[in-house]
Amino acid sequence: MYSSSFRPEALLRCEKIQSALRTSHADSILLNTNANLYYASGRVFSGYVYVPAEGEPHYFVRRPVGLKGDTVHYIHKPEQIPALLAEAGLPIPRCVALEWDASHGDFTRLAAVFPDVEVVNGSAVMRAVRSVKTNYELALMQESAVKHAEVYRRIESVFREGMTDIELQIEIERLLRLHGNLGLFRINGQSMEIFMGNVICGDNADSPTPYDFAMGGAGLSCSIPVGANGSLIRPGMTVMVDMCGNFTGYMTDMTRVYSVGELSAEAARAHACSIEIHRAVARMGRPGVAAADLYRLAVQIAQDAGLDDYFMGHTQKAGFVGHGVGIEVNEAPVLAPRSKELLVENQVIALEPKFVIPHVGAVGIEDTYVVTPEGMKAITSAPIEILPLQ
Amino acid sequence: MYSSSFRPEALLRCEKIQSALRTSHADSILLNTNANLYYASGRVFSGYVYVPAEGEPHYFVRRPVGLKGDTVHYIHKPEQIPALLAEAGLPIPRCVALEWDASHGDFTRLAAVFPDVEVVNGSAVMRAVRSVKTNYELALMQESAVKHAEVYRRIESVFREGMTDIELQIEIERLLRLHGNLGLFRINGQSMEIFMGNVICGDNADSPTPYDFAMGGAGLSCSIPVGANGSLIRPGMTVMVDMCGNFTGYMTDMTRVYSVGELSAEAARAHACSIEIHRAVARMGRPGVAAADLYRLAVQIAQDAGLDDYFMGHTQKAGFVGHGVGIEVNEAPVLAPRSKELLVENQVIALEPKFVIPHVGAVGIEDTYVVTPEGMKAITSAPIEILPLQ
């Protein structure tokens, strides 16, 4: 299933899942979405991972052929799982956690595999487990962060006068891919669709999208109405670059702003306010602090600066200022007013206090941070000021 | 919700859905996945489309702000839907179709919105409706097909000696994007993840993937173990290009093969066999013909040529030779041995008889066809022979 060097990490993740199961009602979990298969086994495959209350995970594999391991079982259909568990000497679970985020069809089929067994929400279990990263995961996120920042430092080199937002985005996509970006932008749930990220210039930042985004963008098609819309990049506008950093299966999130010509004083002031929010939230963001308090701190700073009209969007506002990130871009915790979560050491959070200034565009930066006892430490490091394009 | 020019199309699609509902047990359908929202309303938004047994669809919108129309209702949560339906003079349904493909969490919440109402599988209803394209949809698919082929005709121009598979893929991705490709590769269900398509060279074609693919590829990461793996493109190898054609919200599927230097006679023979299968299947593929019979015809031709060992994969084989395509890449019908579907006029099918030849790579082509009374007509038109790169 995995290389011998990954074995200690696989066992550590298994222990984390088992520890979370002990605080839930379930005595086992059966995983079937790609993000959780990747977490639990170190690779994506077609099949299922079963983690019992005690002992090693069992891998039920449909494809690919050729995976090996003591607890790897090849199957044609999930209905074979109970007999194979019995053969392996494992009891039928009393209560199994299944993924609420899986399709209803898959969920229903898996629930029927264990008739008369209680079923609870396994997505909630995995969301909590995955929000706190292991050292192995932090190293992968660091690797993504370094490459992400490396590409951002080269954005000026691919800009040409007369470009549209989408033309610039395409060159940034190519740079990202040439630096090893895997392209795939993994998003939890089925509702949000984005392609590699967004480049937004000028008033397109104020076009509302279907999603809970501060900066929106009308997009190029009603089938994916978000992001670049073909606007010409012109003097007096900002260009906000918010592209995905999936270089390792773990994603970093990072936003920087560029300008062509002179910007309004208000845009510059709002950008400075975003940086001030970053410093204040990073200082306060320690283990045990409420995610909702960090949201309120950010809003307070924007209000004190008289910029709340533009904070986290203008025509349509986003309801958060930061979010967990890892295998997926929208993990726990969420820095939002109703969040019940307290920060935990080694959570990884993308903080994105942004402003939409009418007639100018979006300003503010986004960085990805690790929660430490000394506060949140940024891992995406690149110049934070508004950078001139040309 | 949509422009006035889209209104006749929106009503036609609504009638198609209502006609399918009449053959099911349901007297209404409530849609919430992006692909079906896009189908039913002409755009992606955050919310729900409710299609009653009779009358116009109602749109329940969370985001974006600003959508207009007589039957557009802004909501904060789906629990508001029954009261708004009552206000609009619509009865509470006797049986509602909900999407089995939606997450179990979403499904459960929507089912609870209509307590004491019977629930049936709405994904099956929509799969049948969407498999037969309207003229409006066919025009969008034609537009995608023309652009798709235009890019393929320029692939030779971006090849440089000494390139790896992924380097060539990145240049093709850029060409696609510059020609208007939206990037997003929409796949039904949650299990299959691909980024824009695949470029596979040499023996990497024989690396098994988690998916039901003829040509595989180890990929660059265990987090997305499919496609290009960084192999150097060398003489004697084939390079198979199978990239996504989403230029309009409707996708075409198309594969062409390139060679560097001389290929083995067996590879050339298998490629010719793929073309022969295309001709035979296209001739036979008329309304009323069983999808399974088309699969059997393809397999028979490969067997008669003594190439069945390599047909649809070698180490790991795919279980189909073609699939419906439209808003998503894996629509109905599927040309597979157990398919129960009969072809219907104006279905759109991607046919992909491929061979994996050890030590050479993948050969064969894929084209997207429309089912007509005279047979299947290809809409993706480009040279079909193995094209030399350099």
Side-chain angles (χ1 to χ4, degrees):
Chain A
M1 176 55 63
Y2 42 70
S3 65
S4 59
S5 66
F6 186 72
R7 187 167 160 79
E9 176 67 11
L11 294 181
L12 173 60
R13 294 185 192 180
C14 174
E15 279 166 28
K16 286 186 60 176
I17 295 170
Q18 287 169 332
S19 158
L21 286 176
R22 279 191 290 276
T23 69
S24 84
H25 189 55
D27 58 356
S28 64
I29 190 164
L30 184 62
L31 304 170
N32 71 311
T33 63
N34 283 353
N36 283 328
L37 295 178
Y38 176 53
Y39 182 79
S41 74
R43 63 162 298 143
V44 167
F45 62 95
S46 168
Y48 310 87
V49 175
Y50 181 83
V51 182
E54 281 172 25
E56 292 205 22
H58 285 251
Y59 308 100
F60 298 95
V61 183
R62 258 190 305 241
R63 285 171 181 261
V65 298
L67 299 184
K68 291 186 174 63
D70 291 343
T71 59
V72 171
H73 314 267
Y74 272 89
I75 60 170
H76 296 292
K77 49 185 189 175
E79 289 74 15
Q80 297 171 261
I81 293 175
L84 289 165
L85 288 177
E87 258 177 52
L90 286 171
I92 291 296
R94 179 185 41 71
C95 172
V96 65
L98 296 179
E99 293 189 65
W100 243 241
D101 292 341
S103 75
H104 178 67
D106 285 348
F107 178 93
T108 305
R109 183 167 182 183
L110 290 180
V113 163
F114 293 109
D116 308 321
V117 171
E118 190 184 347
V119 174
V120 298
N121 184 348
S123 294
V125 172
M126 292 304 297
R127 188 169 165 84
V129 167
R130 279 177 35 205
S131 85
V132 181
K133 272 65 181 174
T134 65
N135 289 334
Y136 186 102
E137 291 181 288
L138 289 177
L140 289 176
M141 298 208 69
Q142 280 279 5
E143 190 183 329
S144 277
V146 167
K147 290 181 180 166
H148 204 169
E150 213 170 291
V151 170
Y152 271 46
R153 284 197 208 93
R154 298 188 56 179
I155 287 174
E156 293 101 315
S157 73
V158 295
F159 175 76
R160 303 280 173 269
E161 214 184 305
M163 263 185 166
T164 62
D165 51 4
I166 186 67
E167 285 167 347
L168 177 59
Q169 176 164 338
I170 292 168
E171 299 309 322
I172 298 171
E173 288 168 3
R174 177 171 174 272
L175 271 187
L176 285 163
R177 294 282 281 151
L178 287 172
H179 281 74
N181 192 301
L182 301 169
L184 192 69
F185 195 176
R186 260 204 191 96
I187 303 172
N188 184 259
Q190 290 178 293
S191 60
M192 201 160 56
E193 290 175 320
I194 308 169
F195 176 72
M196 279 197 89
N198 292 309
V199 171
I200 311 253
C201 81
D203 264 346
N204 188 39
D206 205 22
S207 302
T209 76
Y211 308 123
D212 192 10
F213 290 169
M215 55 178 278
L220 293 160
S221 162
C222 286
S223 75
I224 174 167
V226 62
N229 68 344
S231 295
L232 192 66
I233 299 172
R234 279 183 311 212
M237 281 181 176
T238 60
V239 181
M240 180 171 269
V241 177
D242 183 359
M243 300 290 292
C244 137
N246 181 7
F247 294 88
T248 61
Y250 284 79
M251 322 211 313
T252 43
D253 211 351
M254 189 176 180
T255 301
R256 289 296 184 270
V257 175
Y258 301 82
S259 68
V260 183
E262 286 288 300
L263 293 183
S264 71
E266 193 165 44
R269 202 162 69 79
H271 191 77
C273 184
S274 168
I275 293 167
E276 189 189 339
I277 292 170
H278 271 270
R279 291 198 176 126
V281 170
R283 204 180 308 123
M284 183 172 161
R286 297 169 190 222
V289 170
D293 285 343
L294 295 177
Y295 175 83
R296 279 188 280 271
L297 173 64
V299 169
Q300 190 61 56
I301 295 170
Q303 274 176 357
D304 291 349
L307 291 164
D308 37 330
D309 245 24
Y310 308 136
F311 187 52
M312 296 310 289
H314 178 58
T315 299
Q316 179 174 289
K317 283 175 179 291
F320 68 99
V321 297
H323 54 89
V325 61
I327 297 172
E328 293 172 311
V329 78
N330 50 347
E331 300 197 352
V334 183
L335 309 190
R338 291 189 200 174
S339 175
K340 302 244 177 295
E341 293 159 304
L342 304 182
L343 262 53
V344 178
E345 190 173 354
N346 292 342
Q347 283 181 328
V348 178
I349 295 172
L351 180 63
E352 49 175 325
K354 294 174 183 170
F355 297 86
V356 172
I357 310 294
H359 314 306
V360 178
V363 295
I365 64 169
E366 175 174 28
D367 272 313
T368 300
Y369 293 85
V370 179
V371 176
T372 81
E374 292 79 39
M376 290 163 48
K377 305 282 180 203
I379 58 172
T380 44
S381 165
I384 56 179
E385 62 272 21
I386 298 178
L387 298 160
L389 280 179
Q390 77 186 354
Chain B
M1 176 55 61
Y2 42 71
S3 66
S4 59
S5 65
F6 186 72
R7 187 168 159 77
E9 176 68 10
L11 294 180
L12 174 60
R13 293 186 192 181
C14 174
E15 278 165 29
K16 286 187 59 174
I17 295 170
Q18 287 169 332
S19 158
L21 286 176
R22 279 192 289 277
T23 69
S24 83
H25 189 57
D27 58 355
S28 64
I29 190 165
L30 185 60
L31 304 170
N32 71 311
T33 63
N34 283 352
N36 282 328
L37 295 178
Y38 176 53
Y39 182 80
S41 75
R43 63 162 297 143
V44 167
F45 62 96
S46 169
Y48 311 87
V49 175
Y50 181 85
V51 182
E54 281 172 24
E56 292 206 23
H58 285 253
Y59 308 100
F60 297 96
V61 183
R62 259 191 305 240
R63 286 172 181 261
V65 298
L67 298 184
K68 292 187 172 62
D70 291 343
T71 59
V72 171
H73 313 268
Y74 272 88
I75 60 169
H76 296 293
K77 48 184 188 179
E79 288 74 16
Q80 297 171 261
I81 292 174
L84 289 165
L85 288 178
E87 257 176 52
L90 285 171
I92 291 295
R94 177 187 43 72
C95 173
V96 65
L98 297 179
E99 293 189 65
W100 244 240
D101 292 340
S103 76
H104 177 67
D106 285 349
F107 178 93
T108 305
R109 184 168 182 183
L110 290 181
V113 163
F114 293 109
D116 308 319
V117 171
E118 192 185 346
V119 175
V120 297
N121 185 348
S123 294
V125 172
M126 293 304 296
R127 188 170 166 83
V129 167
R130 280 177 34 205
S131 85
V132 181
K133 273 64 183 175
T134 66
N135 289 335
Y136 186 101
E137 291 181 288
L138 289 177
L140 289 176
M141 297 208 70
Q142 281 280 5
E143 191 183 328
S144 277
V146 167
K147 290 183 181 167
H148 204 169
E150 213 169 289
V151 170
Y152 271 45
R153 283 196 208 94
R154 299 188 56 179
I155 287 174
E156 292 101 315
S157 74
V158 296
F159 176 75
R160 302 282 171 270
E161 214 185 305
M163 262 184 166
T164 61
D165 51 4
I166 186 68
E167 285 168 347
L168 176 59
Q169 176 164 338
I170 292 167
E171 298 311 321
I172 299 171
E173 288 169 3
R174 177 171 174 271
L175 272 187
L176 285 162
R177 294 281 282 150
L178 287 172
H179 280 74
N181 191 300
L182 301 168
L184 194 68
F185 195 175
R186 261 205 190 94
I187 303 173
N188 183 259
Q190 290 178 293
S191 60
M192 202 160 55
E193 291 175 319
I194 307 170
F195 176 72
M196 281 197 88
N198 292 307
V199 171
I200 311 255
C201 81
D203 265 345
N204 188 39
D206 205 21
S207 303
T209 76
Y211 309 123
D212 193 10
F213 289 169
M215 55 179 275
L220 292 160
S221 161
C222 286
S223 75
I224 174 168
V226 63
N229 69 344
S231 294
L232 192 66
I233 300 172
R234 279 184 312 215
M237 281 180 174
T238 59
V239 181
M240 180 171 268
V241 177
D242 183 0
M243 299 290 294
C244 137
N246 181 8
F247 294 88
T248 60
Y250 283 79
M251 322 211 311
T252 43
D253 211 350
M254 187 177 183
T255 301
R256 289 296 184 268
V257 176
Y258 301 83
S259 68
V260 183
E262 286 288 301
L263 292 184
S264 71
E266 192 164 43
R269 202 162 68 80
H271 191 77
C273 184
S274 169
I275 293 167
E276 190 190 338
I277 292 171
H278 272 270
R279 292 200 176 124
V281 170
R283 205 178 309 124
M284 182 172 162
R286 295 168 191 224
V289 170
D293 285 343
L294 295 177
Y295 175 82
R296 279 188 280 270
L297 173 64
V299 169
Q300 190 61 55
I301 295 171
Q303 273 175 359
D304 291 348
L307 290 165
D308 37 331
D309 245 25
Y310 308 137
F311 187 52
M312 297 310 289
H314 178 57
T315 298
Q316 179 173 287
K317 283 176 178 291
F320 68 99
V321 298
H323 54 88
V325 61
I327 297 173
E328 293 171 312
V329 78
N330 49 347
E331 300 197 352
V334 183
L335 309 191
R338 291 189 200 175
S339 176
K340 303 242 177 294
E341 293 158 304
L342 303 183
L343 262 53
V344 178
E345 189 173 355
N346 292 341
Q347 284 181 328
V348 178
I349 296 173
L351 180 63
E352 49 175 325
K354 294 174 184 170
F355 296 87
V356 172
I357 310 294
H359 313 305
V360 177
V363 295
I365 64 169
E366 175 174 27
D367 272 315
T368 300
Y369 293 85
V370 179
V371 176
T372 81
E374 292 79 40
M376 289 162 51
K377 304 281 178 205
I379 58 173
T380 44
S381 164
I384 57 179
E385 62 271 22
I386 298 178
L387 298 160
L389 281 179
Q390 78 185 353

